[in-house]
Amino acid sequence: MFYSIPLRYRRYIYALLMILIMVGCAEGLAEREIIFPEMAALAIGMWVVDKRVWHCNKWKMLLAMSLCSVTGVLIVRYSPFPLLGNIALAFSFAAIHLTLSRTTLIPQVSAIILPILLKTDSWVYPAAVIIMSLIIILGQYLMEKKQLRTPIEYIPVKIYWRPVLLSWTFLLFTVLSVASLAIYTNNIYFILPPLIVTYIEFAHSKAGFRNRPVQILLTLFAASLLGSLCQWFGYYQWHLPEFLIALCIIGPLFLLFELSGKPFAPAGAVALIPLLLPPEDLLWLPIQVFIGASLFIGIAMLCFQKCYNWTRPQLIVCFLPAFIRNLRKHKSADEKIPPHF
């Protein structure tokens, strides 16, 4: 019966099982550092979506996630710099590695910045990231062998040094600007790693989601709200097991992806962030995610996509979510139908 399920839905099920195992292990071993929210994004990008999401082969993915997670813990343990300096150091390391490796695996930025924001200095974190990265790689290999997804050929990214250096320098400057605002106003979740990943994706990627900024913003907000509510009520009020909370978060999120027809990998990471936060931060998290995502997406749209030069039809398509455009179409169609007497 399971094999009669469409391939796309089976990939969702495998990704969901992967996330539940990660959260279950963290709860069973009493090691919260095992929960790496970006693993949900990797499972979505490398298992669920049946096309190239990032230019990166399997072993470069393992190397990137390993290096960045270890470096993040090293920065927390030994760096003499304040938080803003550590973010600059981590972001620069990830940018250099992405450039030299000729890949676009942006989630590695999350792997290096997350321990800095959460002050994680345990070696359990990089060990968990490495093991789960291996599971993601093995899972993708088996899916390709069993024809559950299309094999993806790795094509190294062409590097044009001057524009690349200028782009990463501007990205660093703007990330630090938003980080300064977040630190100064004590709203640190403006700069959640998945939001920084979203910003870089909007700046560098040529994927279709860049034409749906409002829809992406609402998806990130919905993911944070879903995760916060489930963690607040399910874990802190009703004391349900964490893996059940993760099921209540990721299941509806995958349903949202299906209804919208557009999975967005960073939203999976945003949805799991609440599992790592204290209860007093949960109620404000969706608001901070909305503001932070608005800042990052707004900067990307203005500075990289130059949306102020777009035509009116482009603006309508890009800034009105699909369901609103569909409502407008249905309303227009109804108005053209002559009344019955």
Side-chain angles (χ1 to χ4, degrees), residues 42 46 54-69 94 96-108 111 129 133-134 136-137 140 154-159:
L42 289 171
M46 301 183 73
W54 303 290
H55 288 266
C56 187
N57 65 20
K58 297 178 179 64
W59 301 114
K60 283 191 174 184
M61 177 265 196
L62 177 62
L63 177 63
M65 301 307 291
S66 303
L67 277 177
C68 287
S69 60
I96 291 169
H97 184 266
L98 279 162
T99 303
L100 295 180
S101 63
R102 300 175 66 188
T103 62
T104 61
L105 188 71
I106 310 299
Q108 66 185 274
V129 170
S133 297
L134 282 169
I136 290 287
I137 290 170
Q140 187 184 49
Y154 166 57
I155 302 174
V157 177
K158 293 182 179 179
I159 302 298

Side-chain angles (χ1 to χ4, degrees), residues 53 162 179 194 233 260 264 302 322:
V53 176
R162 180 179 172 80
F233 287 105
S260 66
F264 185 61
L302 289 170

Side-chain angles (χ1 to χ4, degrees), residues 196-206 209-214 216-217 220 264 296-297 300-301 304-305:
I196 298 176
V197 169
T198 298
Y199 175 44
I200 301 171
E201 295 276 18
F202 263 86
H204 281 177
S205 174
K206 291 182 171 58
F209 64 78
R210 298 204 312 169
N211 297 323
R212 304 184 303 274
V214 174
I216 294 301
L217 174 62
L220 292 170
F264 185 61
F296 281 127
I297 292 175
M301 297 300 295
F304 287 91
Q305 296 208 57

Side-chain angles (χ1 to χ4, degrees), residues 47 104 108 144 150 181 195 199 225 244 292 307-308 310 327:
W47 288 6
T104 61
Q108 66 185 274
E144 292 172 353
T150 305
L181 175 65
L195 301 185
Y199 175 44
L225 183 63
L244 188 57
C307 62
Y308 47 82
W310 290 358
L327 286 176

Side-chain angles (χ1 to χ4, degrees), residues 233-256:
F233 287 105
Y235 186 72
Y236 288 111
Q237 303 300 316
W238 302 333
H239 308 291
L240 298 176
E242 284 275 40
F243 80 90
L244 188 57
I245 305 300
L247 176 62
C248 293
I249 294 171
I250 299 301
L253 183 67
F254 283 174
L255 179 60
L256 176 63

Side-chain angles (χ1 to χ4, degrees), residues 13-81:
I13 292 172
Y14 292 136
L16 178 59
L17 288 175
M18 164 72 185
I19 295 166
L20 295 182
I21 290 171
M22 175 183 70
V23 176
C25 288
E27 185 174 25
L29 298 174
E31 292 284 359
R32 193 161 288 262
E33 289 82 2
I34 292 176
I35 298 177
F36 178 46
E38 203 67 34
M39 204 53 61
L42 289 171
I44 293 167
M46 301 183 73
W47 288 6
V48 174
V49 180
D50 194 23
K51 62 180 181 180
R52 188 201 321 278
V53 176
W54 303 290
H55 288 266
C56 187
N57 65 20
K58 297 178 179 64
W59 301 114
K60 283 191 174 184
M61 177 265 196
L62 177 62
L63 177 63
M65 301 307 291
S66 303
L67 277 177
C68 287
S69 60
V70 169
T71 303
V73 172
L74 287 174
I75 290 173
V76 174
R77 281 174 166 255
Y78 303 114
S79 172
F81 302 117

